[in-house]
Amino acid sequence: MIAMLFQVDVFDETAVAAPLSVGSVLANPIVVLISVLVGIAFVATVVLFLVRRAYNRSGRARRAFGMVVLLIRVPKETKKEDEGGTSQQRIQETIAVMETIFSTIGSFKAERGALAWLFGREDHFAFEIVSHKDKISFYAAAPAAYRGFIEEQVHAQYPHAQIDEVPDYNLFSPTGIVFGSYLMLRRSSGFPIKTYRKLESDPLNSVTNALSKVTGDDGAAVQYVVRSARPSWRSEGLRIARAMQQGKKLSDVKGGTIVSSVGKELKGFATTKPAERKPQEPYRLTPLEEEMVKGLEEKAAKAGLDVNVRIVVSSADPNRAQRHMNDILGAYGQYNIYEYGNSFVKNAPRFQTVLIRHFIYRHFDTRYSMVLNSEELASLYHMPLPSTETPKINWLLARRALPPTNLPTEGIVLGHSEYRGHDYVIRMKPQDRRRHTYIIGKSGSGKTELMKSMVKQDIEEGRGVCVIDPHGDFADDALSFVPRERAEDVIYFSPADTERPLGLNMLEYDPNYPEQKTFVINEMLKIFDKLYDLKSTGGPMFEQYMRNAMILIMDDPETGSTLMEIPRVLADEEFRALKLSKCKTQVVKDFWTKEAQKAGGEASLQNMVPYITSKLTPFISNDVMRPIIGQQKSAFNVRQVMDEGKILLLNLSKGKLGDINAYLIGMVLVGKILMAALSRTDMEPEKRKDFYLYIDEFQNFLTDSISAILSEARKYGLDLVIAHQFIGQLAQKGDTLIRDAIFGNVGSMMAFRVGPDDAEFLEKEFAPVFGQYDLINVEAFTCNAKILIDNTATRPFNMKPYRAIPGPDKELPAMIRELSRYKYGRKRALVEAEIQERTAAAERASDSIA
C-alpha cells in the first residue's frame, strides 16, 4: 500500500517521494475493486446485523408468547418416614434435589448454528419467586416444547409437588412505581459464590423473608432466566487455578490472558541485572488461597448455566418500592466471598423500560449474562423446605396421589382425579357399591355435591333411589334431576306440606311377614330411646309398658294401630278392654290383666300413663305430624318402592319441622327400608334390584338398624351412601358400637376436609399415602378416597366430584312435585275426619262390649 501511495525511484538517489493525487489512486482498478469490496462488506455487515436484530426481536416475541407458565407448590409437612439426619444435613440434602434439575438443564447442548445466531436461542427457562397479593409463589416458565421436560424433572425430585399451568401473573398496577435491577458478578464467572453447602441455614430464607414484607397491592419478583452455557466458560477459572498451583499470585494471573502473564515475566527479566538474576522461588499459597483454588476447580467441575437475574418491584409509594428493592438486594449478600471468591453487585440500567420489557417477556439479555454452576443456582432458587417458616408462602395444602391403575371403565362416575397433568375418571362398579359408601367432611367441603352427582346418575339410568335430607335443598335438587319419562316414579315426601299430607303409619307391617311385627316394635323402642335416652331416664318399665301397648293395638288394625292409639290404650279402660277382646297374643293379655291392672289396679296404671304419653304428645298433638302418623294406611309401600325402582325423596327440613319431628320420621323410614330389604329373602338373588339409600347428615337417624344395613342389607340389594361431618357424632356418650360397625363394614370411603381429631383417627385408614396434615388441609371440593375395585381396597388417592347440573326445564320439577302430592297425598280435612271417625268407631265398639 505504501508503494502505491508514493512513487519512489530506487535508482535515483536524488529522487523525492511525491504523494499521489486522489485521481491517480482512483484510477488504479485494484484500489477501486478493493474499496468496493470493503464497502459492500461493510454495508452487508450492517444490513446483516440489522436483519439479525429484527429477527432476534421477532424471535423473542414469539418465544415469549409460546412459553408456558407453571405454578409449583410443595407440601410443607413431611411424613415421618421422610424425616431423618441432622438439621443442617437434611437442609442440604433437600436443596440438592434442585441442583439435579439445574444439572440436567446445564447438560443440554447449547444451541448453535445460523438459525440460533439469526433468531436467537430458544432453549432458555425462567424460574421465578413472586410476592403479590400477600402470597409468595414459585413459578417455572418454559417453551411449550419443554413443558413435559420441566414437569418430569420437578416431579422426579419433588414427588409430592403440584404443578399447574396458570395464566401469567401481573404484579404491576396502573398507578404504581416500578424499580428494576440486574444482579451481576463482581469478578469473572469463573470465581465461585458461597453456596448452600457452606451455609449453616437455608439461604432462600433471607430472600423469601424480604419478599414477605411486600404487602397489599405491592408486588415484587425475582426472576432467573437460565440456559445451558458453552463449555468454554470453564477455561478461565481452570487457567487461574492452574497458574496459582504453579506458584503464581492471584494478582498476577487473574488479569486474563497468557500474553499478559508472559509480558509481566519479560518485564521483570528485562529490569533485573544479570548479576542479580536468581531463580525465583515459587509463591506459597496461603490456606485461604488454597481454598479459593479448590473453589475454582469445584465450580468448573459442575454443569454451567448462563443466567440473567432480574429483581423487579412495584408499589404506589416510591419510598416503599425502594425499600423493598434494597431489602431484596441485601438478601444476596450472604452469597458473597469477598477476597477469595465472587460476590453479587447491583446493576440497574438507566432505562428501566427495557429491563421491565425483558422481565415481562422473559428475554435472555446477553449484556447482563453471567455463568453459575448448578450448585450455585440451586442455592439461589429451590422449592421452599419443610423447615421454612416464612409467612405467605403458597404451600400445597395437601398431597396428591396417583389413582389406581385398574380403574373401572364402567359403573357410576364418582369424579375425576388430576395428577401430574393427566385427568383420570373415577368410576365404581355396581357390585362394589353394594359394600356401601361412607363420606365424611366438614360443612361446605363438598359432601353433598358428591352425593348429588351420584343421585343424578342413578335417576337418569333408571335405578331405585331414596334420599333422606334433613335440610331440604338436597331433596329439591334431586327432584330437578328427574327426567320427564320418570315423573311417575317420584314420591316426594315433604312433611311440611300440611295441605296434602302423606301418611306414614309407624306401626304398619305386612301380615304376610309376621316377623315384621316384632321388628317394627323393636325399631320403635330404639327410636324413642334415641330421641329421649330412655336407658338412663325410663329404664325397663317404659319398655315393658310401651312394648305391650304396641302389640296390643297392632293385633287388631281394624280399630286403629297408629301412635294415636297408644295413649288411649293406656288411659282409656274401655278402649283397652276392646283391644284385649281382639288380642291374639296371650302373653300380652296376661300382662294387662294380671300385671298392669292387678298390681295396684287402675290407679297404679294411671301413674304410668303420663310418663309414657309425654313421649308421644309432641307428635300426636302436633298439627304437622298428626295428619302423617295418624293415617292408618301409609301412602306408599316401601317394599314396592324398592322392587319397582321408584324414586323416594324425603324432605325433612328441620327449619320447618323441628329437629325431633324430622328425626322421628327419618329414623322410622330407615327402619322401614331395612325391614323391606330383609323381606326380600323370598326373592331369588338375581331378581333383587339394587336400591340406593342416600342419607345426608345420617348421624341424626342413627339406630342399630344402620349397623344391620351395613352388615346384612347388601345381600338383599340395599346399597347405603351415608355422609356426616365428624366421627364424634357416631360415638355418643362413649358408645362406639355404631362407629365400629361403620368402619368395620363400609367398603368405600371418601374423606373431605376434616378436623384434627378425625384426621388422627382416619390416618390409619389412609396410611401410608396420606397423613393427618393432608386430611386436614385437603382443598375444597376435593376428597381423599379409598374405594373398592372388584371387591379389593385400593391405595388412597385424591378425587374431585363432578358438579351435578339440574336439568334445563325449570317447570318440570314443580310439575312432578304436584303430581306426587295428588297421587300419594290426601287432603288434610279428609285425614282429620278419618281420625275422628276411627276414634268414634272405637268408642262405639267399646260401649257395645261394656
Side-chain angles (χ1 to χ4, degrees), residues 17 201 228 490 554:
S201 61
S228 59
V490 176
M554 292 170 70

Side-chain angles (χ1 to χ4, degrees), residues 52 73 326 357 375 380 392 487 635 646 697 812 832:
R52 178 178 180 266
R73 293 177 295 161
N326 293 337
R357 185 188 305 118
E375 181 180 322
L380 300 178
K392 303 180 183 179
K646 293 185 179 296
E697 304 297 346
L812 182 61
E832 295 284 5

Side-chain angles (χ1 to χ4, degrees), residues 327-570:
D327 290 343
I328 298 171
L329 290 172
Y332 286 86
Q334 63 183 321
Y335 299 103
N336 295 346
I337 305 176
Y338 292 99
E339 183 63 25
Y340 296 100
N342 224 329
S343 58
F344 286 114
V345 293
K346 171 185 175 182
N347 191 334
R350 176 182 296 181
F351 299 105
Q352 293 276 293
T353 306
V354 177
L355 184 150
I356 302 304
R357 185 188 305 118
H358 287 341
F359 166 80
I360 293 173
Y361 291 110
R362 298 179 176 89
H363 294 162
F364 190 93
D365 194 335
T366 55
R367 295 173 299 175
Y368 300 97
S369 176
M370 56 183 171
V371 178
L372 300 175
N373 71 5
S374 56
E375 181 180 322
E376 293 172 324
L377 194 51
S379 303
L380 300 178
Y381 181 95
H382 54 265
M383 295 298 109
L385 310 185
S387 59
T388 301
E389 297 298 335
T390 304
K392 303 180 183 179
I393 288 181
N394 188 7
W395 296 101
L396 177 64
L397 297 179
R399 300 171 189 265
R400 296 201 175 181
L402 178 69
T405 56
N406 60 332
L407 286 173
T409 57
E410 60 180 357
I412 192 171
V413 176
L414 300 177
H416 64 109
S417 178
E418 298 175 0
Y419 187 76
R420 297 191 178 181
H422 298 279
D423 194 34
Y424 302 87
V425 177
I426 310 301
R427 295 178 178 269
M428 187 185 295
K429 296 180 179 180
Q431 58 266 33
D432 293 321
R433 296 184 68 187
R434 293 179 187 137
R435 294 290 302 274
H436 314 299
T437 303
Y438 172 74
I439 306 170
I440 185 172
K442 291 184 177 181
S443 178
S445 58
K447 307 184 301 296
T448 306
E449 289 300 323
L450 172 58
M451 298 177 76
K452 286 180 184 178
S453 175
M454 297 173 69
V455 167
K456 185 174 188 292
Q457 295 176 73
D458 285 335
I459 290 175
E460 290 176 347
E461 295 178 18
R463 303 188 186 105
V465 171
C466 175
V467 173
I468 300 179
D469 176 24
H471 303 299
D473 294 339
F474 184 11
D476 288 339
D477 289 338
L479 186 64
S480 68
F481 301 146
V482 179
R484 187 177 297 272
E485 58 270 17
R486 294 206 67 187
E488 292 283 350
D489 293 340
V490 176
I491 304 172
Y492 187 82
F493 188 4
S494 176
D497 182 6
T498 57
E499 293 183 4
R500 296 190 68 86
L502 274 70
L504 182 65
N505 184 359
M506 300 178 180
L507 302 181
E508 186 179 25
Y509 70 98
D510 189 345
N512 297 321
Y513 300 93
E515 67 277 4
Q516 288 188 2
K517 181 178 179 181
T518 303
F519 182 92
V520 169
I521 294 171
N522 290 336
E523 194 67 21
M524 288 304 302
L525 290 172
K526 293 174 186 176
I527 289 173
F528 279 100
D529 183 31
K530 165 81 173 177
L531 295 175
Y532 295 109
D533 191 18
L534 298 177
K535 291 180 181 178
S536 59
T537 61
M541 289 298 293
F542 177 89
E543 180 178 343
Q544 186 180 28
Y545 276 85
M546 189 70 174
R547 181 184 296 274
N548 282 279
M550 287 190 289
I551 297 175
L552 183 60
I553 65 173
M554 292 170 70
D555 265 0
D556 181 36
E558 296 298 327
T559 53
S561 61
T562 69
L563 288 184
M564 302 286 294
E565 278 70 40
I566 292 180
R568 290 189 62 198
V569 83
L570 291 169

